[in-house]
Amino acid sequence: MIPILCASALSGCAADYLNHYDSVTLAAGDSQKYNSLAQTVDPFNPASRNTHIEGDGARAAAVAHSYKFPPPPPPPPAITVNVGGAGVTTGQ
């Protein structure tokens, strides 16, 4: 019973230790960029304030209608099947 308690106590410490290791990660070296963005007063693009979006309502409605009710597919091409021996030579 005591070895099980010791093992469980040590495994809890190991899990915490493994979460705090020193190595190179994908986020390494971004501290200067993060600090500059954190201190930026307005980090958004100035064009993001433009709420007047150019567009044609009738055209947008037509596009939405074409998505809702797609046009029927084109008919398949006509296939001609010749049955019989018309025009076949026997080679004699």
Side-chain angles (χ1 to χ4, degrees):
M1 182 73 175
I2 292 189
I4 295 173
L5 291 175
C6 291
S8 64
L10 290 177
S11 67
C13 295
D16 188 46
Y17 176 75
L18 291 175
N19 289 334
H20 303 287
Y21 56 90
D22 295 330
S23 68
V24 177
T25 63
L26 294 175
D30 290 341
S31 61
Q32 291 177 347
K33 185 176 180 182
Y34 173 77
N35 290 337
S36 67
L37 286 175
Q39 297 176 9
T40 303
V41 176
D42 190 8
F44 295 110
N45 185 353
S48 65
R49 290 192 193 108
N50 183 12
T51 58
H52 180 69
I53 299 172
E54 300 290 331
D56 185 9
R59 182 173 173 233
V63 169
H65 186 269
S66 68
Y67 278 117
K68 198 172 200 178
F69 304 106
I79 299 174
T80 304
V81 178
N82 294 327
V83 179
V88 176
T89 58
T90 57
Q92 291 179 0

